[in-house]
Amino acid sequence: MDLSGFTNYTAAFGDDAAGRVLSAFRTIVRSVASERGVRIAKWLGDGCMCVAVNQRDALEFVLDLEQRAADVCSPLTVRAGLATGHALLFEGDDYIGSAVNMAARLCDHAKGVEVLMPTMHIERLPEGVSAEPYGEVELRGFPGPINVVELTGVPQPVDSDASDLWTRTPFI
């Protein structure tokens, strides 16, 4: 995912203003990732690559992040590409694989606040999330058009209280 319009924002408002927005974005990403059980694999300038063990966590993470970043990062918006599949941890600090490549290409294709995902990868949508037909898109490096949906909605709030985590008796 990344901040849509970041380069133009930097040119219009300067490096300091862009740095403040980017700092706010990264703070929100860290917070939502922690709440939703998603790992930040690496930062990519005004974007990041995140991985999740299951699709539901990834979907909820991206849509929750999009909602929370709307005010803080305005006038910039979050765009994202999601894909499901195997991702190989490569040399301990990077992920590779066709799912990673597809997510990156979908993010590049997305405009504004779009969250795009291949129709063939949808397993089950979380409550509050819907998939609207987007159409077929050509993605560099992939043979033939890919049928894509745009994800919208507001996922259910995180219902976890870890306030007593450090005071519990350890389970061994």
Side-chain angles (χ1 to χ4, degrees):
M1 74 197 65
D2 73 2
L3 286 172
S4 185
F6 186 78
T7 301
N8 290 338
Y9 183 87
T10 303
F13 297 99
D15 294 338
D16 291 339
R20 286 189 293 276
V21 170
L22 183 57
S23 178
F25 172 70
R26 287 186 175 194
T27 298
I28 293 169
V29 170
R30 286 182 190 101
S31 176
V32 178
S34 176
E35 293 169 12
R36 295 289 183 178
V38 171
R39 180 177 184 270
I40 301 166
K42 65 181 171 181
W43 295 105
L44 305 164
D46 64 325
C48 62
M49 176 198 296
C50 297
V51 294
V53 173
N54 65 58
Q55 186 183 78
R56 179 185 186 94
D57 291 340
L59 294 173
E60 290 177 344
F61 164 74
V62 170
L63 292 171
D64 196 4
L65 175 67
E66 181 184 69
Q67 294 290 319
R68 293 194 207 182
D71 291 333
V72 177
C73 298
S74 182
L76 304 179
T77 56
V78 175
R79 66 180 181 164
L82 287 113
T84 301
H86 295 285
L88 304 171
L89 182 59
F90 186 71
E91 295 183 349
D93 64 354
D94 200 4
Y95 287 89
I96 61 170
S98 61
V100 175
N101 295 338
M102 183 172 285
R105 297 293 184 263
L106 286 168
C107 184
D108 291 343
H109 187 81
K111 308 284 186 262
V113 294
E114 292 176 341
V115 176
L116 303 179
M117 181 176 193
T119 303
M120 64 186 165
H121 288 191
I122 294 177
E123 293 169 6
R124 184 170 166 244
L125 295 175
E127 189 174 330
V129 175
S130 62
E132 302 298 325
Y134 187 84
E136 291 185 338
V137 299
E138 295 279 342
L139 300 175
R140 191 180 81 227
F142 289 89
I146 308 286
N147 195 23
V148 174
V149 294
E150 180 179 357
L151 301 172
T152 59
V154 179
Q156 296 297 308
V158 178
D159 185 26
S160 62
D161 180 14
S163 61
D164 68 338
L165 187 62
W166 301 108
T167 61
R168 292 185 199 159
T169 302
F171 179 76
I172 300 177

